[in-house]
Amino acid sequence: MSADYFYTWTKQDDAFHFEMESCFDHTLKLKDGSEKIDLTSLSYQAGFGYSCTPIIDKMSAQLQSLSIASAKADFSLKSRVTKMLLNELGRQGKIFYTTSGSESVENALKMAREQRKVLTVCARNVSYHGATLASLSVTGDWRNKAHKTLDDWTLRIPEPKDDPTGCETRKVIENYGPEKIAAIILETVTGGNGAFAGSEDYWNTIQNICDEHGIYLILDEVICGFYRTGIAFGFHKYPFLKPDFITLSKQITGGYIPFGAVYVSKSRAEFYDQNVLACGLTSYAHPLGLAALEGVFEVIDNNEFKSQLSINIKTLKTFCDKVSTLQNVREVRVHGLLAAIDVSFDPSQKEIFEKGTYLLTGPQRIMLAPALNMSTRDLESGLKIVEDYLMENI
Ligand SMILES: Cc1ncc(COP(=O)(O)O)c(C=O)c1O
């Protein structure tokens, strides 16, 4: 079947696609009547499922009152939610709103380069930071090839797994010239590229390099924010981290509306008190995005949510420990509700889908990122399908 719209990141003739009828709880219902349990929250954004009443109610009420607003407008929802977000991050500063993760990264890069007055940004090869030109230029995975510009502005630094203490990263930066570097951008826990996390020593060195040389630290928490790794934000694991910018999106609204945000530290934000902030979007701080975010706060502040989250974390960990003993499983990494299973064959997303589970696969890898509030029954049924699939491919 050929469609009049594109499928993303694929040859159109080879695209994996399916006809969706509806979605409820944590399940996709297809036109043919079959149901698929979603084990990667689609692309990591639907972290609160498809029937999340607090988010839906806040958005519906917002549609009836202030449905659209000017970027210049002040309104109580905007100030209230911004304070809640700063409070949840545990940082002082300001928020710049966007409509996607790529735009969040784009704006953080613009501000960092403008304030440091140099262009180079350090980034890892095993990374994805977005699809726009600048966010793609710091991205290191296969999608980077498409950007065609700005290569000279990116300095590649080693992977934390190859540089556990950060010493090699320090060497690369010091050899290049720290004064020519505007920022280091890192996913706090790598999302779609395999759930890799640096050690405490690694992050300590990164923060020290930034402090010693005045290089800005941009943490990309587009995937690992909002409890994906079991804690509110990935960087909370290391209280010594002092990011200048934090990029957020996806679970920020549970995927109910395209939305994103950049946290800007107090001193970086103060720069714009007397300098023009040359950043902006038509749908800046959209009231429906803010309403959805307020719904997200209602969800995550609830004790029932927190207890289901911890049950789910244990269920996923138990599953990961079990499959890690299989002959065709090479390595498993799990952080809260984000897991990567490295296998010795190329798993087929389509075959797993036909068995009843939607998830993301890569070369020799299965990714898991179930909704945080999924029922134990749904999570266990979805994981059973994955386990059976792994057993069949030994
Ligand atoms: C870590 C990370 N940063 C940025 C982005 C870009 O977000 P978006 O697709 O909303 O532009 C993604 C998307 O997958 C991501 O995983």
Side-chain angles (χ1 to χ4, degrees), residues 168-187:
E168 294 306 313
T169 301
R170 179 184 280 283
K171 272 190 216 154
V172 171
I173 288 175
E174 292 183 348
N175 286 341
Y176 180 85
E179 70 290 347
K180 292 185 279 181
I181 297 172
I184 302 176
I185 183 166
L186 294 165
E187 289 169 79

Side-chain angles (χ1 to χ4, degrees), residues 43 100-103 105 128-131 187 191-192 220 222-223 249-250:
S43 294
S100 69
S102 303
E103 287 168 355
V105 170
Y128 179 65
H129 295 293
E187 289 169 79
D220 185 339
V222 165
I223 284 189
S249 189
K250 297 206 188 253

Side-chain angles (χ1 to χ4, degrees), residues 9 43-45 98-105 127-132 135 139 143 185-193 220-224 247-250 258-260:
W9 303 116
S43 294
Y44 310 95
Q45 78 275 39
T98 70
T99 58
S100 69
S102 303
E103 287 168 355
S104 296
V105 170
S127 66
Y128 179 65
H129 295 293
T132 51
S135 63
T139 290
R143 288 167 280 200
I185 183 166
L186 294 165
E187 289 169 79
T188 322
V189 178
T190 315
N193 280 298
D220 185 339
E221 295 241 353
V222 165
I223 284 189
C224 65
T247 57
L248 301 166
S249 189
K250 297 206 188 253
F259 199 62

Side-chain angles (χ1 to χ4, degrees), residues 39-40 44 190-196 315-335 338-348 352 357 359-370 382-391:
L39 280 193
T40 39
Y44 310 95
T190 315
N193 280 298
F196 291 100
T315 307
L316 184 61
K317 175 82 174 61
T318 307
F319 165 82
C320 286
D321 287 346
K322 190 171 175 201
V323 298
S324 68
T325 61
L326 295 175
Q327 218 178 301
N328 54 356
V329 172
R330 296 194 348 260
E331 189 175 291
V332 180
R333 292 171 298 281
V334 56
H335 306 277
L338 180 68
I341 305 176
D342 290 352
V343 291
S344 55
F345 63 101
D346 285 335
S348 157
I352 300 173
T357 294
L359 49 69
L360 298 172
T361 56
Q364 306 207 332
R365 181 169 293 153
I366 288 175
M367 289 302 302
L368 296 171
L383 293 176
K384 178 79 179 72
I385 293 171
V386 181
E387 186 182 342
D388 290 347
Y389 178 75
L390 287 170
M391 302 282 280

Side-chain angles (χ1 to χ4, degrees), residues 109-119 121 134 153 182:
L109 293 173
K110 270 171 78 175
M111 290 185 210
R113 285 181 168 132
E114 179 184 22
Q115 293 195 34
R116 267 286 273 179
K117 300 190 174 62
V118 286
L119 297 175
V121 170
W153 295 4

